[in-house]
């Protein structure tokens, strides 16, 4: 992709944002992401942006996938957050050699089905919130998933747990209540309540062997997951960019320059072929990106004056979404680095 030949998926993302997501964002923020939004995302082809062409996806390069995330998050962060869960199951299947790949990768790549994901609790290891044990010719899941986004919107979910042998095991199941799986009421949150986040209680949920997408020792899985958490999400830049669009040109100019600079450095690190190299630099740039986000959304609130306190204000919605992004995907490592940066150490 070049500046003069934009990728067609970016045109689709811009149209979706302009025609649907931005006009409806404040209503969605208060009422929840509607199924019609999810159907529009499915029709757009954006769910298969990074999925392999052989399975009906677009095989778009990382810079295009990131820019799509920026566009969608800046337009309606709740809708972005529901659909972004889908991309981890797709990439898990791409890397899987198990039979479930052939069953699900096509429908997920083509956007015929939307997948959620329940695996962040693995980061608390050696604590085991979800335990998996062999039972017959399948696997039994017991425990609690603290956060699951898109309940009532997703068709399937990729559920993870830890075995007694210290393996992580990921398996697919339908995203609905069933024997051994019960969802809480949707959580009331300071931001992104609209994304329909629940906790899941697992009490003997049984999944067959053919549902398994990944099984490996935790020590082999953890480095790849750690690498994904060391950089700021593209949504940080998308929400910051949306906030700056609410300012006059003179006020926005220096902040826009800061945003462009930190985004360039962040993505250069993301694309570095050594994903766990330059960790201190990655964490420092991540914290810097959050500082630009905080400044941009604060400026939008200040510019809006008293109107920013109304629930119909785009500025205050973006500011609350910025608070959410501060802790989304957070680990003990990134939390400590961010707190040090905030303290000037």
């Amino acid at each position: 992709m070049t500046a003069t030949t934009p990728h067609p998926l970016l045109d689709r993302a811009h149209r979706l944002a302009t025609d649907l997501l931005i006009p409806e964002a404040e209503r969605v923020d208060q009422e929840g992401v509607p199924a019609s939004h999810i159907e529009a995302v499915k029709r757009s082809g954006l769910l298969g942006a990074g999925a392999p062409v052989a399975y009906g996806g677009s095989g778009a390069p990382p810079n295009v996938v990131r820019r799509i995330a920026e566009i969608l998050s800046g337009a309606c962060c709740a809708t972005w957050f529901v659909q972004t869960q889908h991309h981890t199951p797709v990439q898990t299947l791409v890397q899987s050699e198990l039979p479930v790949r052939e069953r699900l990768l096509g429908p997920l790549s083509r956007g015929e089905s939307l997948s959620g994901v329940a695996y962040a609790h693995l980061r608390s290891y050696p604590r085991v919130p979800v335990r998996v044990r062999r039972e017959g010719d399948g696997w039994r899941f017991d425990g609690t998933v603290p956060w699951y986004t898109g309940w009532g919107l997703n068709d399937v979910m990729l559920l993870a747990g830890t075995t007694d042998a210290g393996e992580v095991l990921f398996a697919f199941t339908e995203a609905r209540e069933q024997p051994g799986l019960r969802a809480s009421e949707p959580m009331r949150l300071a931001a992104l309540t609209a994304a329909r986040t629940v906790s899941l209680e697992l009490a003997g949920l049984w999944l067959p062997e053919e549902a398994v997408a990944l099984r490996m020792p935790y020590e082999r899985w953890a480095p790849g997951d750690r690498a994904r958490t060391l950089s700021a999400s593209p949504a940080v830049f998308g929400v910051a960019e949306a906030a700056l669009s609410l300012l006059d040109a003179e006020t926005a100019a220096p902040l826009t320059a800061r945003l462009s600079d930190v985004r360039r450095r962040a993505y250069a690190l993301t694309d570095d072929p050594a994903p766990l190299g330059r960790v201190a630099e990655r964490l420092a740039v991540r914290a810097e990106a959050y500082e630009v986000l905080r400044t941009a959304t604060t400026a939008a609130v200040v510019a809006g004056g008293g109107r920013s306190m109304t629930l119909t204000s785009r500025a205050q919605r973006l500011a609350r979404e910025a608070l959410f992004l501060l802790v989304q995907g957070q680990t003990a490592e990134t939390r400590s680095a961010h707190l040090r940066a905030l303290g000037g150490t």
Side-chain angles (χ1 to χ4, degrees), residues 122 125 168 216-228 276:
L122 294 179
Y125 190 82
V168 295
M216 67 173 57
Y218 180 88
E219 290 74 15
R220 281 184 53 203
W221 173 82
D225 180 65
R226 180 190 177 209
R228 286 187 290 272
L276 289 176

Side-chain angles (χ1 to χ4, degrees), residues 25-304:
E26 276 65 60
R27 182 181 66 81
V28 166
D29 178 58
Q30 295 302 307
E31 299 178 10
V33 175
S36 56
H37 270 42
I38 298 305
E39 290 305 313
V41 174
K42 288 180 175 179
R43 290 193 303 270
S44 72
L46 298 177
L47 291 178
V53 173
Y55 287 84
S58 295
N63 63 322
V64 170
V65 174
R66 289 191 295 250
R67 184 56 187 156
I68 291 170
E70 292 177 358
I71 293 166
L72 298 185
S73 59
C76 177
C77 200
T79 300
W80 163 78
F81 193 51
V82 171
Q83 67 82 42
T84 201
Q85 313 296 314
H86 180 88
H87 302 292
T88 295
V90 168
Q91 292 308 311
T92 300
L93 287 172
V94 167
Q95 297 164 19
S96 178
E97 298 179 354
L98 298 174
V100 72
R101 170 188 170 115
E102 298 307 313
R103 178 166 63 88
L104 287 181
L105 184 53
L108 295 184
S109 297
R110 294 188 296 269
E112 296 166 2
S113 295
L114 178 72
S115 182
V117 65
Y119 81 97
H121 50 276
L122 294 179
R123 294 170 181 154
S124 64
Y125 190 82
R127 190 170 63 85
V128 179
V130 176
R131 186 172 299 278
V132 187
R133 295 183 176 89
R134 171 69 76 176
E135 187 171 283
D137 56 353
W139 297 89
R140 174 189 172 113
F141 288 74
D142 292 280
T144 300
V145 175
W147 306 92
Y148 178 80
T149 294
W151 185 253
L153 296 170
N154 297 321
D155 301 298
V156 296
M157 72 167 75
L158 180 61
L159 173 65
T162 309
T163 70
D164 291 338
E167 298 173 310
V168 295
L169 187 145
F170 287 69
F172 282 93
T173 186
E174 293 183 3
R176 59 172 179 81
E177 290 203 350
Q178 53 188 292
L181 189 160
R182 183 174 61 85
S184 71
E185 290 297 313
M187 298 180 188
R188 295 284 301 167
L189 305 171
L192 273 72
T193 289
R196 303 194 192 185
T197 297
V198 299
S199 62
L200 302 176
E201 292 300 324
L202 307 172
L205 173 68
W206 185 86
L207 299 179
E209 182 67 40
E210 55 265 28
V212 175
L214 182 150
R215 179 184 171 196
M216 67 173 57
Y218 180 88
E219 290 74 15
R220 281 184 53 203
W221 173 82
D225 180 65
R226 180 190 177 209
R228 286 187 290 272
T229 67
L230 293 176
S231 301
S233 162
V236 170
F237 305 115
V239 171
E241 186 176 48
L244 294 180
S245 74
L246 302 180
L247 305 178
D248 63 72
E250 182 179 0
T251 304
L255 293 173
T256 300
R258 286 177 59 191
L259 176 64
S260 297
D261 175 63
V262 71
R263 174 166 42 193
R264 175 186 56 77
R265 289 184 284 121
Y267 288 163
L269 288 167
T270 300
D271 292 336
D272 190 296
L276 289 176
R278 302 161 68 183
V279 169
E281 184 180 358
R282 292 173 189 271
L283 291 172
V285 172
R286 184 180 189 273
E288 189 177 345
Y290 284 126
E291 179 61 18
V292 174
L293 173 66
R294 181 193 65 79
T295 304
T297 53
T298 300
V301 169
V302 172

